[in-house]
């Protein structure tokens, strides 16, 4: 074993975590004993501990108040050159009333997010998480130095650090936290707070920043606040163009994004000035306008049928769909998305398509295996969720880590074990070289070529058409057809809403039903029935964590446990919690649970009749039900009545219709005349790689 350095701390029951154990040898992600640190939570915690080691090695002691330690994240991928890609508009920046320094009156946050390229982070001064607020602070410091080295950028960029702890972070406390950076005139860096949580909450909600005050053993609130690190890049018009988590919050990446937005602004201003000059108008640049409203969701059968009160259309019985900002659905985009969805050539080795895990004839999931199978037969750790009615989902994936179909689309394409591509550019170049895609993107997107944005928009447009409701239950409950359900199925509905308590999570309304509360609950599914003791582990001087024996084993590489929603939020209450799925078409989506551990609906009913699995985090809603055999049979019969009327026709309709075979493109060698010298033609740089090229566990 390699020698430990001086930063090594004892943990509970002899567990010791040291920097040498985390870092191992230079240039390797292996521990000191040569054991692979592994993907997923082990890599995450390993990076966290390594950042802690670096911080304390640099500082020699825990940071004093207002003096965050400059922590550098590990970067194992190359940032693409600025200007070689575009950053899509994600949303308009949220607004609200904020306070700064000695100002007596509050100002709108929009005064700090319009008119310049803005880097915004939510922080609080008491944060001790090495990959939390100190990481954001350190990254801002590094990026600040890079901006100052470019004189043309100084007036175009500002930083904003906004506290989500107004109870303790007064304007004076935030100024102290900012120190010299808050007073510097070289580059604007504003340290803001709010007058109350009531003023802060609309801002947090608008940016999707979740926070939770942690409590001690007696239930009293502490100074610690659980949160997921997010840093927002905002353009001069107040539009969010990028959101960074801890994994991609690297100074070089952020700085290149700032340069890209600056180049974009220069081009826009130059074009506008040229147009005004040509028309004889003054050429001074006007102040940036407020962001316009996002394009509304244009759906053909989806929104019209869902809004109708009459029993017609595939969406009858569903609530109205929620518009997705920036998503426009047209027939051309749907057809292009369908082609992409079924195209195996989008995977790194040409063997996997989206439709191979989301099989149309199997409820747009996979009935053949407990968990999905990716390239080269790699078993993924989660069951493939059904895509039926996915336009109604507020969060996506079993752990809810995404909320937009536009942002979700690229994750399977870039996952090392799913479709295996190492970068967005690799996928885009491959599509661009396929002759059967010639002109399709330009026709669907008003002349725009294949890009990160157009690929995502096409796939999302197709997925919004996967609508299947209008079940026998809908016609019975909402359409007035008293004969649509037989007596056993009607009794099953009574059990569902009564004795079995299913409707407490799978909601049924008076006018419509989506059969989900869109929440996250720990059912104990997929966990072994064993007690999991909690231990307090010292990670660094003054930095402790309460970990279960299971989590300690995960960190040590002994097991690879799925912690569910916790992997997104890092809240202890979210351990082993997963999204409540809709029960529509549930008979088509076996096997069940996030890990496919239950094969049939009958077994699912037995599982919940027992009160779920044995887990310390199990939801208090789950208790033994005491159902008899007739109750269980009726409940299963009712669940089978939730199949959409069009589910089989939809599967047949979405399959691509066979067309003429595409002639094989001759190889460059075959096309060259004898003796000709090959010429290298370089392609334009595509949007940058956003995912580290290391193997990662599936989180679908």
């Amino acid at each position: 074993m390699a020698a430990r350095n001086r930063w090594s701390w004892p943990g509970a029951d002899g567990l010791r975590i040291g920097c040498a154990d985390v870092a191992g040898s230079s240039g390797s992600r292996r521990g000191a004993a040569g054991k692979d640190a592994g993907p997923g939570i082990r890599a995450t915690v390993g990076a966290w501990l390594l950042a802690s080691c670096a911080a304390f090695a640099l500082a020699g002691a825990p940071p004093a108040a207002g003096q965050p330690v400059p922590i550098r994240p590990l970067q194992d991928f190359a940032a693409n050159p600025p200007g070689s890609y575009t950053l899509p508009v994600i949303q308009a920046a949220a607004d609200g009333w904020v306070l700064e320094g000695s100002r007596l009156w509050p100002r709108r946050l929009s005064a700090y997010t319009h008119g310049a390229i803005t880097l915004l982070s939510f922080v609080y001064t008491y944060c001790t998480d090495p990959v939390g607020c100190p990481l954001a602070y350190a990254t801002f410091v590094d990026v600040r130095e890079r901006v100052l080295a470019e004189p043309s950028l100084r007036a175009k960029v500002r930083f904003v650090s906004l506290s989500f702890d107004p109870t303790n972070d007064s304007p004076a406390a935030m100024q102290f936290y900012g120190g010299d950076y808050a007073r510097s005139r070289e580059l604007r860096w504003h340290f803001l707070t709010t007058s109350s949580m009531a003023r802060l909450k609309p801002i947090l909600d608008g940016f999707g920043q979740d926070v939770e005050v942690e409590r001690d053993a007696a239930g009293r609130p502490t100074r610690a606040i659980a949160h997921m690190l997010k840093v927002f890049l905002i353009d001069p018009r107040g539009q969010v163009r990028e959101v960074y988590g801890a994994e991609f919050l690297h100074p070089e990446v952020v700085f290149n994004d700032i340069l890209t937005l600056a180049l974009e602004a220069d081009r826009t201003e130059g074009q506008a000035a040229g147009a005004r000059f040509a028309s004889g108008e003054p050429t001074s640049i006007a102040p940036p306008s407020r962001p316009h409203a996002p394009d509304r969701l244009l759906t053909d059968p989806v929104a019209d049928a869902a809004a109708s009160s009459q029993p017609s259309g595939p969406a009858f019985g569903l609530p109205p769909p929620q518009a997705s900002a920036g998503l426009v659905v047209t027939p051309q985009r749907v057809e292009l998305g369908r082609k992409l969805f079924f195209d195996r050539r989008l995977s790194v080795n040409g063997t996997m398509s989206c439709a191979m895990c989301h099989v149309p004839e199997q409820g747009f999931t996979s009935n053949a295996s407990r968990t999905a199978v990716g390239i080269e037969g790699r078993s993924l750790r989660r069951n493939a969720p059904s895509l039926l009615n996915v336009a109604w989902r507020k969060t996506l994936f079993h752990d809810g880590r995404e909320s937009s179909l536009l942002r979700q689309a690229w994750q399977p394409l870039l996952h090392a074990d799913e479709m295996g591509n190492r970068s967005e550019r690799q996928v885009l170049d491959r599509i661009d070289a396929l002759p059967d895609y010639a002109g399709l993107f330009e026709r669907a997107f008003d002349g725009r070529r294949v890009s990160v944005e157009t690929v995502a928009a096409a796939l999302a447009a197709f997925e919004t058409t996967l609508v299947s409701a209008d079940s026998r239950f809908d016609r019975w409950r909402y359409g007035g057809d008293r004969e649509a359900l037989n007596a056993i199925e009607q009794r099953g509905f009574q059990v569902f809403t009564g004795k079995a308590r299913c409707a407490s999570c799978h909601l049924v309304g008076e006018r419509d039903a989506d059969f989900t509360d869109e929440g996250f609950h720990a059912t104990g599914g997929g966990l072994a029935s064993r007690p999991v003791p909690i231990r307090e582990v010292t990670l660094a001087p003054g930095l402790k964590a309460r970990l279960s024996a299971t989590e300690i084993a995960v960190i040590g590489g002994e097991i690879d446990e799925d912690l569910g929603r916790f992997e997104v939020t890092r809240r202890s209450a979210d351990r082993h919690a997963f999204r409540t799925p809709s029960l529509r078409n549930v008979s088509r989506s076996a096997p069940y649970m996030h890990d496919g551990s239950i094969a049939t609906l009958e077994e699912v009913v037995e599982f919940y009749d027992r009160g779920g699995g044995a887990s310390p985090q199990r939801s208090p809603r789950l208790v033994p039900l005491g159902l008899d055999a007739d109750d269980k049979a009726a409940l299963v019969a009712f669940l089978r009545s939730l199949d959409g009327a069009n589910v089989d026709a939809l599967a047949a309709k979405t399959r691509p219709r066979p067309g003429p075979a595409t002639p094989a493109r001759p190889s460059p060698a075959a096309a060259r005349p004898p003796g000709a010298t090959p010429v290298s033609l370089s392609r334009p740089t595509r949007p940058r790689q956003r995912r580290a090229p290391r193997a990662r566990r599936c989180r679908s």
Side-chain angles (χ1 to χ4, degrees):
M1 179 179 291
R4 297 177 185 270
N5 66 15
R6 63 192 181 97
W7 299 109
S8 179
W9 310 283
D13 295 339
L15 173 68
R16 295 180 64 86
I17 303 174
C19 295
D21 295 322
V22 178
S25 58
S26 175
S28 171
R29 284 195 297 273
R30 292 183 177 270
K35 189 172 185 179
D36 190 358
I41 187 171
R42 283 173 288 161
T44 300
V45 176
W48 179 16
L49 297 176
L50 185 57
S52 302
C53 297
F56 284 95
L58 286 171
Q67 301 290 334
V69 171
I71 300 172
R72 296 293 180 264
L74 302 175
Q75 180 174 344
D76 54 359
F77 62 95
N80 280 13
S84 65
Y85 54 88
T86 59
L87 294 171
V89 174
I90 298 175
Q91 66 173 75
D95 201 3
W97 293 103
V98 296
L99 299 169
E100 181 181 19
S102 59
R103 293 180 184 272
L104 297 177
W105 304 105
R107 298 181 70 188
R108 300 294 293 182
L109 179 60
S110 56
Y112 300 94
T113 58
H114 286 71
I117 299 170
T118 305
L119 205 57
L120 167 68
S121 69
F122 291 94
V123 300
Y124 75 111
T125 60
Y126 192 74
C127 183
T128 58
D129 183 351
V131 289
C133 309
L135 173 57
Y137 194 106
T139 304
F140 276 37
V141 170
D142 193 310
V143 174
R144 178 181 183 273
E145 297 305 314
R146 296 171 188 244
V147 172
L148 290 177
E150 296 285 342
S152 62
L153 277 182
R154 295 181 185 180
K156 299 179 180 180
V157 178
R158 74 161 69 93
F159 296 163
V160 176
S161 296
L162 175 58
S163 172
F164 48 66
D165 185 16
T167 304
N168 297 292
D169 290 345
S170 65
M174 288 301 293
Q175 290 299 107
F176 178 71
Y177 179 76
D180 291 340
Y181 298 121
R183 296 183 291 270
S184 173
R185 296 180 178 273
E186 290 184 300
L187 184 69
R188 294 167 292 177
W189 189 345
H190 304 280
F191 292 84
L192 311 177
T193 187
T194 54
S195 59
S196 65
M197 282 301 300
R199 291 286 195 189
L200 177 64
K201 188 175 186 304
I203 300 175
L204 295 178
D205 291 345
F207 280 104
Q209 178 73 66
D210 296 326
V211 299
E212 179 182 13
V213 177
E214 296 185 352
R215 297 180 178 273
D216 59 21
R220 295 184 297 267
T222 68
R223 284 290 308 274
I225 299 177
H227 65 284
M228 183 169 60
L229 176 64
K230 290 183 181 180
V231 173
F232 300 85
L233 181 63
I234 304 170
D235 68 19
R237 292 182 294 170
Q239 300 176 129
V240 177
R241 304 294 290 273
E242 186 59 285
V243 183
Y244 308 96
E247 186 174 12
F248 292 104
L249 189 59
H250 302 293
E252 183 182 4
V253 172
V254 176
F255 182 66
N256 284 7
D257 287 351
I258 290 174
L259 284 172
T260 295
L261 290 187
L263 292 171
E264 174 188 293
D266 290 345
R267 286 194 300 269
T268 302
E269 291 177 1
Q271 292 167 359
R276 287 194 297 271
F277 179 80
S279 63
E281 297 181 13
T283 58
S284 60
I285 303 299
S289 60
R290 296 281 179 171
H292 61 277
D295 296 326
R296 66 185 183 94
L297 174 64
L298 302 177
T299 54
D300 186 7
V302 181
D304 295 340
S308 173
S309 60
Q310 300 299 319
S312 60
F316 175 66
L318 281 165
Q322 295 189 351
S324 179
L327 176 58
V328 178
V329 180
T330 66
Q332 294 83 3
R333 296 185 185 188
V334 170
E335 286 303 315
L336 178 56
R338 183 201 319 274
K339 180 177 177 66
L340 293 168
F341 187 84
F342 287 93
D343 198 335
R344 299 188 186 196
R345 296 172 296 180
L346 267 61
S347 65
V348 70
N349 58 3
T351 62
M352 288 294 300
S353 71
C354 304
M356 296 182 71
C357 286
H358 302 281
V359 185
E361 295 78 11
Q362 299 177 20
F364 286 89
T365 179
S366 176
N367 305 149
S369 59
R370 287 178 50 177
T371 59
V373 177
I375 59 168
E376 299 174 347
R378 300 176 189 177
S379 294
L380 309 180
R381 66 172 180 160
R382 290 180 182 167
N383 175 259
S386 173
L387 295 182
L388 289 172
N389 305 320
V390 71
W392 275 258
R393 301 284 71 80
K394 294 180 180 178
T395 57
L396 304 170
F397 300 103
H398 289 293
D399 55 19
R401 66 182 180 273
E402 273 296 352
S403 58
S404 166
L405 284 172
L406 290 169
R407 293 195 295 272
Q408 172 274 336
W410 276 95
Q411 294 202 25
L413 289 167
L414 299 181
H415 193 286
D417 293 333
E418 293 189 48
M419 299 181 77
N421 296 290
R422 297 179 68 85
S423 69
E424 295 152 336
R425 183 187 306 153
Q426 186 179 27
V427 180
L428 298 173
D429 285 348
R430 191 180 305 128
I431 295 173
D432 209 17
L434 294 171
D436 49 315
Y437 281 95
L440 296 185
F441 281 88
E442 289 81 355
R443 286 193 289 273
F445 292 95
D446 300 323
R448 294 166 61 192
R449 297 185 60 194
V450 56
S451 67
V452 171
E453 296 85 359
T454 54
V455 169
L459 283 168
F462 168 67
E463 289 167 351
T464 63
T465 67
L466 305 180
V467 182
S468 181
D470 191 23
S471 66
R472 291 190 295 112
F473 166 78
D474 294 311
R475 295 194 292 274
W476 173 75
R477 182 169 174 82
Y478 305 120
D481 184 354
R482 297 296 92 188
E483 305 298 322
L485 295 187
N486 61 36
I488 295 177
E489 293 164 339
Q490 292 182 35
R491 178 186 173 183
F493 179 60
Q494 294 175 350
V495 175
F496 183 90
T497 56
K499 189 175 181 180
R501 305 171 61 176
C502 308
S504 64
C505 294
H506 300 279
L507 306 183
V508 179
E510 293 298 323
R511 297 183 178 180
D512 48 52
D514 201 9
F515 288 96
T516 175
D517 61 359
E518 296 287 354
F520 298 86
H521 307 283
T523 66
L527 294 177
S529 301
R530 61 184 186 278
V532 184
I534 303 297
R535 306 177 185 179
E536 187 174 85
V537 178
T538 299
L539 301 178
L543 182 61
K544 298 182 179 181
R546 291 176 57 81
L547 302 175
S548 69
T550 299
E551 290 163 334
I552 293 173
V554 170
I555 296 170
E558 299 172 19
I559 59 175
D560 188 18
E561 181 132 351
D562 192 337
L563 298 177
R565 182 68 172 167
F566 173 81
E567 296 179 4
V568 178
T569 66
R570 294 297 185 238
R571 296 176 181 172
S572 59
D574 288 335
R575 287 188 176 97
H576 306 121
F578 295 89
R579 179 172 58 85
T580 304
S582 173
L583 296 182
R584 289 189 175 276
N585 302 291
V586 68
S587 74
R588 307 297 183 105
S589 60
Y592 304 102
M593 315 305 282
H594 68 278
D595 60 350
S597 57
I598 301 181
T600 67
L601 283 176
E602 288 78 7
E603 293 176 28
V604 172
V605 171
E606 291 289 348
F607 173 81
Y608 285 109
D609 184 46
R610 297 192 300 269
S615 168
Q617 286 82 30
R618 186 181 62 195
S619 171
R621 301 185 188 186
L622 298 182
V623 296
L625 302 174
L627 302 179
D628 60 31
D630 290 339
D631 291 333
K632 296 174 184 177
L635 184 54
V636 170
F638 165 70
L639 293 173
R640 295 187 185 281
S641 77
L642 301 180
D643 285 0
N646 71 328
V647 65
D648 292 321
L650 180 64
K653 177 182 177 182
T654 55
R655 279 285 178 190
R657 290 176 286 277
T662 303
R665 175 179 286 185
S667 68
R672 282 200 306 268
T677 303
V679 178
S680 174
L681 299 177
S682 60
R683 293 186 177 276
T685 304
R686 294 291 184 185
R688 70 182 175 284
Q689 172 182 340
R690 272 296 186 196
R691 291 201 170 266
R694 61 177 182 270
R696 294 173 59 87
R697 296 187 302 173
C698 173
R699 290 186 177 179
S700 47

